[in-house]
Amino acid sequence: MSDRTAPVRRTKIVATLGPASDREGVLEAMIAAGVDVVRLNFSHGSADDHRRRLAAVREIAARQGRSVAALGDLQGPKIRIARFGDGKVSLTEGAPFVIDVALGREAGDAQRVGCDYQDLADDVAAGDRLLLDDGRVVLDVVKVDGSAIHTTVVVGGELSNNKGINKQGGGLSAPALTDKDKTDLETAVAIGVDYLAVSFPRSAADMVEARELLGEAGKEIGLVAKLERAEAVANDATLDAIIEASEAVMVARGDLGVEIGDEALIGTQKRIIKHARSLNRAVITATQMMESMIEAPLPTRAEVFDVANAVLDATDAVMLSAETAAGDFPVETVEAMARVCLGAERERIAQSSGHRIHEGFSRIDETIALSAMYAANHLTGVAAIACMTSTGYTPLIASRIRSGLPIVGLAHNPVAQRRMALYRGVISLPFDTSEMSADELNDRAMALLVERAIAEPGDHVILTRGDHMNAHGGTNTLRILEVEAQHE
């Protein structure tokens, strides 16, 4: 008999790599603690840093028998002020302050500062509100005079070099893909990432451009749209078009919260997750999820509830940023996040679903995948849903339905194996069918589930497969099998 006392976490954990994870033994411990996807942040580090880190991830994952995906994250057009002669200034409420795109890069003082985005003066007008340093400093635009944007300080405080600028309500015209991004995209393809995140897309056209730039060499890379501009979530048509042009989306709550306001962010997070799942795309919830653990060994209660609420919203993954890239407790943070996810997943709401229950289906493989999940959720004695897949599509569709049961993606293709590492509730296992006869497939699949302690003799497993293995979109069969005792 197998030991299935430990629950399997369904929500996936994305962890950013950086100096903290580079410390001896830390990356290995992070992956052992449950990291499913590593994030390579192209805003920091060199191409060689990312290549080295990804090679280490691949080696450790193979040694631990895990499928761990890699997400490359492009910097995008982060709009920043320039620098101050003294490193920082203090702005007083009611005081005038000028942002001048023509000012020297190091010439900032308490009255004015430069900006690295030359079109800022064309994008703003009197009455606009600018938010600096993630909204900690607020400026109202009084007038624009040539290259100089004259403002009044509404919320003052300390302002230091290179802090970001957002326009409340959106409307900055900077393109989503900068020259640096295009170079980093080539690096991402060369080192073999599984997903590539595009920062600040305004519309589906930005994602289409990224797909074209990936070309044939990057055709197997999944695109992730980072939703952080007000325009991207302004209406359902724009949001849905961006989702459909991507393989996954990220609720990037930092810049998005600054642009639309924290009070609107709550409902917007839930709307993005709901729309992504309805459109059969994966979704990552990110930003400050356990930020206090950069310096503390335990999360705050508020962070616990934040992560748990994202899990109950049915996000596919929750993401750690500076907590694992630069924090003092990277391994402990992953462990804490895994505990919180498991705790939230025990709630009944996390296991019941009405997904597409009143909709018709147009594809045979979707019909099989969704039927398998509803059967599994309603038939007593089912231990798992096993999907033989060439691309990971059937497990993706199945994972859109909430359940307490594991979905096992059985794939020969290592790219498909890693792609599935992002999908909620999916356990990705290597399964080479090339040397198997059609009669052997089911028995070998059941034996693998027993070996991995996912099922045991007497359980039922719902198995989906196609008549022709390794054929995209070929899933057309659903079988309910009883797991039999294995004989030596």
Side-chain angles (χ1 to χ4, degrees):
M1 297 286 283
S2 58
D3 177 15
R4 289 183 295 159
T5 56
V8 177
R9 173 173 45 83
R10 302 184 69 77
T11 309
K12 302 306 180 74
I13 295 174
V14 182
T16 305
L17 303 188
S21 64
D22 287 345
R23 298 198 297 264
E24 184 69 28
V26 169
L27 181 59
E28 179 135 12
M30 283 171 52
I31 292 174
V35 170
D36 300 287
V37 182
V38 296
R39 172 175 172 251
L40 306 171
N41 185 1
F42 286 104
S43 297
H44 306 284
S46 66
D48 285 342
D49 290 332
H50 302 311
R51 182 179 291 105
R52 169 180 53 78
R53 287 169 179 153
L54 182 50
V57 169
R58 294 272 190 262
E59 188 273 325
I60 292 167
R63 190 152 26 88
Q64 294 187 9
R66 298 277 313 285
S67 289
V68 177
L71 166 66
D73 193 339
L74 300 178
Q75 177 175 304
K78 184 73 175 178
I79 298 168
R80 301 178 185 277
I81 60 170
R83 300 172 63 84
F84 296 99
D86 294 330
K88 61 184 177 181
V89 297
S90 182
L91 300 185
T92 305
E93 180 182 341
F97 188 72
V98 176
I99 300 174
D100 189 344
V101 298
L103 193 67
R105 177 126 188 90
E106 308 283 339
D109 56 28
Q111 284 74 47
R112 63 183 56 227
V113 73
C115 177
D116 61 3
Y117 176 49
Q118 295 301 304
D119 293 329
L120 184 64
D122 297 324
D123 285 354
V124 302
D128 285 342
R129 174 160 286 187
L130 300 178
L131 305 120
L132 280 60
D133 192 13
D134 287 337
R136 294 179 180 88
V137 172
V138 180
L139 309 175
D140 278 352
V141 178
V142 177
K143 66 175 182 177
V144 178
D145 184 9
S147 64
I149 302 161
H150 294 261
T151 75
T152 299
V153 179
V154 179
V155 177
E158 189 176 280
L159 185 62
S160 56
N161 295 337
N162 304 318
K163 293 302 181 185
I165 304 176
N166 293 86
K167 178 182 171 186
Q168 191 171 68
L172 298 181
S173 62
L177 291 160
T178 66
D179 290 342
K180 172 178 164 42
D181 293 332
K182 292 172 184 177
T183 300
D184 289 340
L185 182 146
E186 294 175 0
T187 298
V189 172
I191 66 178
V193 302
D194 304 293
Y195 290 96
L196 184 68
V198 177
S199 296
F200 301 99
R202 287 169 295 181
S203 68
D206 291 327
M207 304 309 297
V208 171
E209 181 187 1
R211 174 57 64 199
E212 290 171 350
L213 288 170
L214 283 172
E216 186 67 19
K219 66 179 180 179
E220 292 187 310
I221 294 174
L223 282 177
V224 179
K226 292 174 67 178
L227 299 171
E228 44 198 339
R229 274 180 159 161
E231 300 95 305
V233 299
N235 57 70
D236 285 352
T238 302
L239 173 61
D240 288 353
I242 292 174
I243 293 171
E244 291 186 303
S246 314
E247 278 67 46
V249 294
M250 183 189 295
V251 190
R253 303 181 305 180
D255 284 284
L256 183 61
V258 171
E259 291 209 357
I260 68 174
D262 290 339
E263 68 282 358
L265 184 61
I266 305 155
T268 300
Q269 172 175 312
K270 294 179 182 296
R271 179 165 65 102
I272 292 169
I273 293 173
K274 181 179 179 181
H275 281 236
R277 292 183 65 80
S278 295
L279 294 168
N280 297 328
R281 301 298 193 270
V283 55
I284 303 165
T285 304
T287 316
Q288 296 179 328
M289 301 214 80
M290 288 193 164
E291 179 126 324
S292 72
M293 289 194 72
I294 295 172
E295 298 176 339
L298 290 171
T300 66
R301 291 288 181 268
E303 289 166 341
V304 166
F305 273 78
D306 180 34
V307 172
N309 275 313
V311 171
L312 295 177
D313 287 339
T315 191
D316 284 270
V318 284
M319 193 174 99
L320 297 165
S321 299
E323 298 97 330
T324 52
D328 294 334
F329 301 96
V331 178
E332 292 86 347
T333 306
V334 175
E335 292 170 342
M337 186 166 262
R339 286 195 304 271
V340 173
C341 290
L342 281 166
E345 289 165 4
R346 283 197 289 268
E347 296 301 310
R348 184 176 295 275
I349 189 176
Q351 301 180 19
S352 59
S353 179
H355 176 69
R356 298 182 70 182
I357 194 71
H358 300 298
E359 292 182 26
F361 306 141
S362 59
R363 292 178 52 152
I364 292 173
D365 50 358
E366 282 191 9
T367 305
I368 294 294
L370 295 172
S371 299
M373 291 306 297
Y374 278 113
N377 282 345
H378 290 85
L379 177 63
T380 302
V382 174
I385 303 93
C387 306
M388 295 187 192
T389 180
S390 61
T391 63
Y393 184 75
T394 300
L396 168 66
I397 299 301
S399 69
R400 300 308 84 187
I401 292 182
R402 297 178 190 238
S403 176
L405 296 169
I407 302 163
V408 183
L410 301 171
H412 172 47
N413 181 353
V415 174
Q417 288 171 31
R418 294 194 298 267
R419 180 77 70 88
M420 289 187 284
L422 181 59
Y423 304 157
R424 182 182 177 109
V426 176
I427 300 170
S428 174
L429 297 180
F431 191 70
D432 186 356
T433 60
S434 58
E435 302 298 322
M436 298 182 199
S437 68
D439 294 337
E440 282 183 281
L441 289 173
N442 296 353
D443 290 344
R444 296 281 287 273
M446 294 306 101
L448 179 58
L449 266 57
V450 172
E451 177 189 327
R452 294 298 186 108
I454 296 167
E456 56 190 32
D459 287 339
H460 285 97
V461 170
I462 295 183
L463 177 73
T464 69
R465 51 173 284 198
D467 292 333
H468 304 287
M469 287 303 296
N470 302 320
H472 175 47
T475 297
N476 61 3
T477 303
L478 182 157
R479 297 191 65 183
I480 302 175
L481 304 174
E482 182 173 341
V483 180
E484 298 177 354
Q486 304 297 304
H487 301 289
E488 294 296 332

